[in-house]
Amino acid sequence: MTIRPASDRSLLLSCGDEISFDAHLAVARLTRCLQGVRGILNLHPAYSSVLVDFDPRLRSHAQVEALVRERLASHADQAPPEPRRVEIPVCYGGESGPDLRDVARHTGLTEERVVELHAAAEYLVYFVGFATCFPYLGGLPPELATPRLPAPRKHVPVGSVAIGGAQAGIYPLSSPGGWRLIGRTRLRLFDPSASPPPLLRMGDRVRFVPVPEAQP
């Protein structure tokens, strides 16, 4: 792990420069052991790094770095929590998935085969970010990797299930976006009245379940 200042009130903790399960485990452990620590204002996990925002009135960069190493050492033997498994019902294609045909064309597969492969995989929530509760999912079958759109859409409907390069994701809110939309779910990924509001969190395992258009 490398630690370096990212601003006058933040540190970047890096666990390599590749998307991998080992890096994910390291990021998840860092995030767990720093949550709720006095003086740490926010944690921003990514595929292989964690940005730590801290209160400079309480701690210096050197003090936060020492704290990180101390917390890591004290949590070294702590086993990760058992992952939750979440099923996401998805209506594929048509108005719900306007880019399914393009994904099939790019991959050389039929639309039916794209859906079959996408729904057969188990996905790992590497982290949640970009927009409120947007889950970045690893585990997309390599055959389905498809480049993002040349220009982002101004409006992506809430619940859109998408492919962006070798990644998969779900739009929890209506927003602009450039990923390929292959389906949509009516399951709410962000509910302000729930506790906690996000449906998915880092480390969850996700499977997509195809459903008829009337029941996404």
Side-chain angles (χ1 to χ4, degrees):
M1 181 182 67
T2 61
I3 302 178
R4 64 178 187 271
S7 74
D8 62 344
R9 54 193 304 140
S10 63
L11 285 176
L12 183 65
L13 319 180
S14 299
C15 307
D17 55 5
E18 296 182 354
I19 298 175
S20 69
F21 184 63
D22 286 343
H24 163 74
L25 291 178
V27 166
R29 184 159 68 99
L30 278 167
T31 303
R32 286 196 306 273
C33 73
L34 293 175
Q35 284 176 334
V37 174
R38 183 172 181 269
I40 302 297
L41 301 179
N42 215 336
L43 299 169
H44 306 273
Y47 280 114
S48 59
S49 65
V50 182
L51 182 67
V52 181
D53 293 331
F54 62 89
D55 188 339
R57 297 170 300 178
L58 298 179
R59 301 182 188 273
S60 66
H61 286 84
Q63 289 172 328
V64 175
E65 178 173 348
L67 174 67
V68 168
R69 298 191 185 281
E70 175 188 325
R71 298 284 295 184
L72 274 177
S74 66
H75 287 70
D77 298 328
Q78 189 177 79
E82 193 67 24
R84 297 189 312 151
R85 285 175 162 76
V86 182
E87 290 190 346
I88 307 290
V90 180
C91 175
Y92 287 95
E95 292 184 3
S96 298
D99 298 322
L100 178 60
R101 182 175 299 176
D102 290 338
V103 171
R105 185 182 300 115
H106 174 80
T107 59
L109 303 169
T110 64
E111 294 181 30
E112 292 76 15
R113 183 57 176 161
V114 169
V115 171
E116 182 181 351
L117 287 171
H118 188 266
E122 183 178 72
Y123 299 83
L124 169 66
V125 180
Y126 271 87
F127 67 103
V128 176
F130 163 60
T132 303
C133 303
F134 185 101
Y136 285 81
L137 306 176
L140 182 76
E143 306 97 305
L144 300 184
T146 305
R148 294 172 173 82
L149 296 170
R153 288 182 171 89
K154 293 182 180 179
H155 173 77
V156 174
V158 60
S160 291
V161 176
I163 291 173
Q167 304 169 89
I170 311 167
Y171 285 83
L173 301 172
S174 298
S175 70
W179 290 30
R180 306 278 180 168
L181 311 182
I182 63 170
R184 194 183 311 165
T185 180
R186 287 185 179 169
L187 206 61
R188 296 182 68 180
L189 271 73
F190 177 68
D191 182 356
S193 65
S195 182
L199 173 67
L200 299 176
R201 55 179 180 254
M202 180 191 297
D204 286 349
R205 303 288 180 154
V206 172
R207 296 193 78 97
F208 294 106
V209 180
V211 296
E213 187 167 0
Q215 305 172 19

